[in-house]
Amino acid sequence: MSEKISSHIIGLGYYAPENIIDNSYFSQFMDTSDQWIQERTGIQERRFVNKGQGPSDIAIPAVKIALKNANLSVNDIDFIIFSTSTPDYYIPGSGCLIQEKMNFPNIGALDIRCACTGFIYALSIADQYIKTKTYKNVLVISSEVQSTSMDLSNNGRDTAVIFADGAAAAILTANFDGEGILSTHLHTQGKYAKELWVESPSSAMSPKLDKNIIKSGKHFLKMNGREVFKHAVKRFPEVILEALNHNKLNIKDIDLLIPHQANIRISKMVQKKLELNDNQVFSNIHKYGNTTSASIPIALCEAINQKQLSKGDILVLAGFGSGFSWGSAILKW
């Protein structure tokens, strides 16, 4: 009888840039207020990078912490998966950049662009590599620098006050004791792609970027907030229940749910629909805003630091975002 392999997180780390931006900052550029932002998003402050920093730069301290916690060095990592919707460059991917900046061996580095669901997708990919014994230690990075591409005007008010910068890293390896990832569940519905997107630069356009595109603001993130909210509060419970049912578990078995930190109203609605207690759902959006793919692993790091997870606990991760894409992962901690 062959051993059953699961993928286990053995090291985690996160980095929140040093610049703390409170809600009053935005009142310089648009008609908004601290009260308006808190009531609609739950955000009190967020972090912005220093000038010249990209996602590969702010990922470095997160990776260093993850390596230290796993008692590993860069030479122990066999593969890198880098999740970001805001890559350092159009080409090449940010995974290649972190390989060079941190002196990893000449291992493979895969970028994925699944926006807010990126960490879930990255875990799923790492899980398959480990279960098939392709790689022993896989580094998953989620890092976003969104402050540099916000429309700081009334036209961009619905996005500029929400999105922020941050990075987190996880190291996964094989486990034979039943701990780790039990399953992942991934979905997309591209008919809603334009409800949350950046139109330009686009390879379908020539030129990809010009003065008219910039003047029209097509290079800024656009979001149909009502449509995103409507779908998120539907898809979150669906994909969480999908994961539970797949593993013959129920709501009461959840020790901790960490949803993507998109909007406190979405999280509260999902909690209400699933009839979860406050101590079953983790939230830190008030401190960091929406860091897209980095939000789940940053929250996971904080949950561990606050001792909200114990060995053997059932942990559910769930995300929803641009694409539309959504997914869940269920782990035995």
Side-chain angles (χ1 to χ4, degrees):
M1 185 175 176
S2 61
E3 293 179 297
K4 185 176 180 181
I5 302 173
S6 59
S7 305
H8 182 54
I9 296 175
I10 59 168
L12 281 162
Y14 80 101
Y15 174 71
E18 61 189 31
N19 295 321
I20 300 175
I21 307 297
D22 63 23
N23 291 336
S24 64
Y25 168 82
F26 297 97
S27 62
Q28 304 173 68
F29 312 103
M30 60 192 74
D31 296 329
T32 192
S33 66
D34 175 63
Q35 182 180 356
W36 188 92
I37 295 170
Q38 286 203 50
E39 286 178 353
R40 286 160 178 79
T41 68
I43 300 168
Q44 297 175 18
E45 60 186 37
R46 75 285 290 145
R47 306 295 182 94
F48 283 2
V49 296
N50 292 321
K51 187 177 181 180
Q53 288 185 307
S56 64
D57 297 309
I58 66 170
I60 292 171
V63 173
K64 286 181 177 178
I65 295 169
L67 286 168
K68 183 178 180 180
N69 289 340
N71 197 27
L72 297 176
S73 74
V74 292
N75 294 316
D76 296 310
I77 300 300
D78 304 304
F79 195 73
I80 299 168
I81 303 171
F82 201 115
S83 169
T84 184
S85 58
T86 56
D88 295 72
Y89 305 113
Y90 198 93
I91 297 171
S94 295
C96 296
L97 302 181
I98 196 115
Q99 181 275 330
E100 188 274 332
K101 290 177 180 179
M102 294 194 68
N103 295 313
F104 282 97
N106 293 340
I107 55 177
L110 169 70
D111 271 44
I112 61 171
R113 294 181 61 189
C114 299
C116 301
T117 324
F119 186 68
I120 305 293
Y121 272 75
L123 286 183
S124 183
I125 296 167
D127 187 40
Q128 303 311 311
Y129 277 131
I130 290 169
K131 283 180 176 177
T132 57
K133 300 182 180 180
T134 304
Y135 299 117
K136 181 181 178 182
N137 298 315
V138 177
L139 170 64
V140 168
I141 301 168
S142 290
S143 183
E144 305 283 0
V145 173
Q146 301 174 111
S147 60
T148 55
S149 58
M150 291 295 104
D151 182 357
L152 293 176
S153 73
N154 282 331
N155 291 332
R157 182 174 61 172
D158 291 342
T159 54
V161 302
I162 295 174
F163 294 93
D165 307 336
I171 298 170
L172 288 84
T173 195
N175 180 277
F176 303 96
D177 299 326
E179 297 174 353
I181 298 173
L182 302 181
S183 63
T184 56
H185 308 269
L186 311 175
H187 300 276
T188 58
Q189 194 172 19
K191 68 183 287 186
Y192 297 106
K194 295 182 181 180
E195 304 298 347
L196 180 53
W197 74 322
V198 177
E199 186 174 355
S200 294
S202 165
S203 296
M205 299 174 65
S206 183
K208 293 180 182 178
L209 194 64
D210 61 19
K211 292 180 180 179
N212 291 329
I213 290 172
I214 294 173
K215 187 176 180 180
S216 64
K218 291 181 179 180
H219 62 302
F220 290 128
L221 180 69
K222 298 291 192 304
M223 179 175 69
N224 182 339
R226 289 184 179 180
E227 199 71 17
V228 170
F229 186 94
K230 181 178 73 174
H231 286 266
V233 297
K234 176 184 179 185
R235 298 306 188 185
F236 266 115
E238 282 182 355
V239 81
I240 291 167
L241 291 172
E242 179 183 358
L244 291 172
N245 293 336
H246 181 82
N247 292 281
K248 296 180 173 57
L249 298 170
N250 58 53
I251 294 294
K252 292 182 180 178
D253 293 313
I254 297 176
D255 291 294
L256 192 65
L257 165 66
I258 301 180
H260 161 56
Q261 304 295 298
N263 184 309
I264 194 63
R265 293 187 300 147
I266 292 174
S267 296
K268 289 294 185 183
M269 184 72 76
V270 172
Q271 178 180 343
K272 183 178 180 181
K273 282 190 172 187
L274 295 176
E275 298 182 349
L276 292 166
N277 299 321
D278 287 344
N279 61 3
Q280 288 179 284
V281 184
F282 188 86
S283 175
N284 64 356
I285 192 171
H286 60 288
K287 293 198 298 182
Y288 302 115
N290 182 341
T291 54
T292 306
S293 71
S295 79
I296 293 174
I298 288 175
L300 177 56
C301 289
E302 287 215 318
I304 292 169
N305 291 343
Q306 295 173 21
K307 302 187 185 306
Q308 295 197 34
L309 274 172
S310 302
K311 184 178 175 63
D313 280 355
I314 296 299
L315 168 67
V316 179
L317 311 175
F320 175 90
S322 176
F324 286 151
S325 69
W326 62 99
S328 63
I330 189 163
L331 300 85
K332 185 176 181 181
W333 198 248

